Amino acid sequence: MKVLKFGGTSVGSAQRMKEVAKLITDGEQKIVVLSAMSGTTNTLVEISDYLYKKNPEGANEIINKLEAKYKQHVDELYSTDEYKQKTQEFIKAQFDYIRSYTKDIFTLFEEKVILAQGELISTNMVTNYLQEQGVNAVLLPALEYMRTDKNSEPDPIYIKEKLAAQLEMHPGAEIYITQGFICRNAYGEIDNLQRGGSDYTASLIGAAVNASEIQIWTDIDGMHDNDPRIVDKTTPVRQLHFEEAAELAYFGAKILHPTCVQPAKYANIPVRLLNTMEPTAPGTLISNDTEKGKIKAVAAKDNITAIKIKSGRMLLAYGFLRKVFEIFESYQTSIDMICTSEVGVSVSIDNTKHLNEILDDLKKYGTVTVDHDMCIICVVGDLEWENVGFEAKALDAMRDIPVRMISFGGSNYNISFLIRKEDKNKALQSLSDHLFNNK
Ligand code: ADP
Ligand code: ASP
Ligand code: MG
């Protein structure tokens, strides 16, 4: 069985819901995970914000506006009065429920209940639409099987058992619709898997039912600005190893967050990224397979700061790196690239909030220099150390570009360069020519 997840934009209007319905009714049995309609979760956060601030009037105004929007969606979505009325009643009940929270004290618990409404409503709408169309679709309530433990981590054993029980109740159904994002915690309270958590839901379900594939359908048109600079646009990346995808995730690639796909990775279930706006395109398959000897993508990230600490004391000493790293840790600043020599270490960071304090502390251990406005260029592909030739090719491409740091060997899938921001385009072009076009 396949598990398909459709994001907020993919179910963002009545029209979009109809398109999703068309996509999923091919006669194959499947589980479909849905997000809230786009914008809804953000609006629910806003409502909660007013309630935290004890402003029920402000909250009610937004609640009423959101409810009016849903009324319109329902009018557009269904063709029969029966389904219009049935769905309208459900939505009204949910909004009345949201309104009931404007009268009392408001805490994190109440907020979680409010945030859950987006997915509860979208899945109800789509299930009803499919049923109106005569499709054998059933709604699997995520709150009955999706659960986190006392550490707020998903509980795979519970999920597997309870999901199986839910599926058994409707053995002949063609489509099982369910809510992404929402769950119950170890105490049985309504909770969620954090913003953007619907992908996580899909991955957890995929692992629980041992799916043949997990498909993440998203609106790629809406994600261009965050796309990694995959330079060779003419040949989109068709396949990635899970670790290649994880490397690219850092570059703001609206690829999946590595923690979201972990259950799929462990269960060895391939994850396919697909575009709702171009449903016949093959998309990108992420799996545990490495395409031997292949470079997949080149990505870049700006606004990087490089810091070098040089110290004679580092020579033959131990514990020096720990002291340096502890400084970054104490200012909650993560380090991205690291290069070391016997007498110095260079690191790169992208969060400069505490840069001055960090520099002050580092000066206790050595001479410190800083380079601003740098850029990380990352080559992702099969870069296992025993392969020969790729490092040379990549370095050759960088021949005319001043390189501040090079990092290789941290994983089998990456080589990174730190260069000046103004050299970025030239570097991307040259790497593309050398690695993809054999110039
Ligand atoms: P998709 O991933 O297909 O765009 P989702 O339903 O998964 O759709 O996400 C819906 C929207 O939720 C995203 O477009 C984004 O604006 C918002 N979102 C996702 N993750 C986060 C996050 N970590 N913080 C705030 N908003 C988020
Ligand atoms: N609706 C939730 C959000 O906007 C979860 C998701 O869409 O993945 O964050
Ligand atoms: Mg998402």
Side-chain angles (χ1 to χ4, degrees), residues 250-251 299-301 304 336-337 348 375-378 416-418:
Y250 171 71
F251 291 85
K301 192 172 171 99
I304 304 292
D336 300 316
M337 272 177 80
S348 83
C375 163
I376 296 180
I377 304 274
C378 160
S416 293
F417 298 94
L418 191 74

Side-chain angles (χ1 to χ4, degrees), residues 311-384:
S311 167
R313 272 189 279 168
M314 192 175 162
L315 186 68
L316 302 175
Y318 51 83
F320 182 81
L321 286 177
R322 180 176 54 80
K323 287 181 194 144
V324 166
F325 292 155
E326 266 172 2
I327 293 172
F328 288 89
E329 187 185 347
S330 67
Y331 292 105
Q332 290 165 9
T333 301
S334 73
I335 294 171
D336 300 316
M337 272 177 80
I338 311 166
C339 289
T340 64
S341 83
E342 277 307 327
V343 291
V345 50
S346 275
V347 302
S348 83
I349 58 172
D350 59 15
N351 170 4
T352 51
K353 198 170 152 204
H354 297 290
L355 182 62
N356 289 336
E357 294 104 305
I358 290 172
L359 296 178
D360 261 356
D361 284 5
L362 286 174
K363 282 175 188 160
K364 289 180 204 147
Y365 298 109
T367 315
V368 181
T369 42
V370 183
D371 294 292
H372 298 279
D373 291 324
M374 307 295 284
C375 163
I376 296 180
I377 304 274
C378 160
V379 177
V380 171
D382 177 25
L383 288 158
E384 210 184 329

Side-chain angles (χ1 to χ4, degrees), residues 118-142:
E119 272 74 9
L120 290 171
I121 293 175
S122 67
T123 48
N124 184 280
M125 286 168 74
V126 172
T127 308
N128 283 353
Y129 177 72
L130 289 165
Q131 289 174 354
E132 187 188 45
Q133 299 296 306
V135 179
N136 186 353
V138 297
L139 185 59
L140 300 180

Side-chain angles (χ1 to χ4, degrees), residues 265-334:
K265 182 182 164 177
Y266 289 152
N268 199 16
I269 297 168
V271 176
R272 194 184 290 277
L273 304 182
L274 290 144
N275 181 1
T276 355
M277 301 309 283
E278 208 187 321
T280 52
T284 304
L285 189 69
I286 307 175
S287 67
N288 280 318
D289 294 334
T290 305
E291 280 187 89
K292 278 283 156 217
K294 210 163 162 196
I295 300 296
K296 297 298 179 53
V298 180
K301 192 172 171 99
D302 292 339
N303 295 322
I304 304 292
T305 301
I307 304 169
K308 175 156 61 189
I309 308 104
K310 221 177 55 181
S311 167
R313 272 189 279 168
M314 192 175 162
L315 186 68
L316 302 175
Y318 51 83
F320 182 81
L321 286 177
R322 180 176 54 80
K323 287 181 194 144
V324 166
F325 292 155
E326 266 172 2
I327 293 172
F328 288 89
E329 187 185 347
S330 67
Y331 292 105
Q332 290 165 9
T333 301
S334 73

Side-chain angles (χ1 to χ4, degrees), residues 236-254:
V237 185
R238 293 251 179 277
Q239 194 274 346
L240 289 170
H241 187 276
F242 278 115
E243 285 189 36
E244 290 171 331
E247 297 283 3
L248 284 169
Y250 171 71
F251 291 85
K254 260 213 145 180

